[in-house]
Amino acid sequence: MMRDGYVARWRGREYQASPDGSDIRLYRPEAADGFEEVRVGRHVRVVPAAEVEELAYVRTTCTWQGQPFIVLAVHDGWLRVEYTGGRWPVAQAMRLEAFDFGVYQGWAPVGEVTDVREQRI
């Protein structure tokens, strides 16, 4: 599983999360006590930040063609990746899309990507 976003540990279980001031929104795919369905397969519960055991940002990183990337998404044998090396000539040579100023993204075949790791920030 490739993750990129906040996670929170609450009552011994880890959830996708979203900080919201002094509260944390916890998300899960299935129904549970205290969780409200916001759409099919998405349930939310808002808890005080003080009740959360841990809050971290999880990011999946990888190497593609010898360069560092963040994994943003997975689709049909491809990874949507964002270059983190900060060098325009490298991004240009790799034919990455300029997504925003200084932000370069592309699609990498899963079989060409190495050193996939999940990092907690």
Side-chain angles (χ1 to χ4, degrees):
M1 173 167 60
M2 307 288 176
R3 300 193 298 175
D4 184 39
Y6 283 99
V7 294
R9 181 164 299 286
W10 180 67
R11 295 185 178 173
R13 181 173 173 179
E14 190 169 271
Y15 298 89
Q16 285 184 323
S18 176
D20 186 13
S22 61
D23 294 325
I24 306 290
R25 294 179 183 279
L26 306 175
Y27 299 96
R28 59 182 288 149
E30 64 279 336
D33 286 342
F35 283 78
E36 177 184 332
E37 185 174 40
V38 290
R39 65 175 155 76
V40 175
R42 185 81 160 169
H43 299 78
V44 65
R45 179 174 183 158
V46 179
V47 299
E51 289 185 15
V52 171
E53 299 152 21
E54 178 189 16
L55 178 67
Y57 195 91
V58 175
R59 173 170 278 166
T60 303
T61 60
C62 69
T63 302
W64 180 40
Q65 297 181 12
Q67 300 300 320
F69 286 85
I70 297 168
V71 179
L72 302 175
V74 182
H75 180 72
D76 202 22
W78 293 82
L79 300 179
R80 182 67 176 175
V81 294
E82 184 172 296
Y83 175 57
T84 59
R87 297 181 55 221
W88 161 243
V90 172
Q92 187 177 31
M94 294 181 78
R95 295 194 165 120
L96 299 174
E97 302 165 35
F99 185 76
D100 201 352
F101 180 77
V103 179
Y104 309 102
Q105 296 181 357
W107 287 97
V110 170
E112 292 182 11
V113 171
T114 60
D115 197 29
V116 178
R117 308 175 181 213
E118 188 172 277
Q119 298 180 355
R120 290 174 102 73
I121 303 170

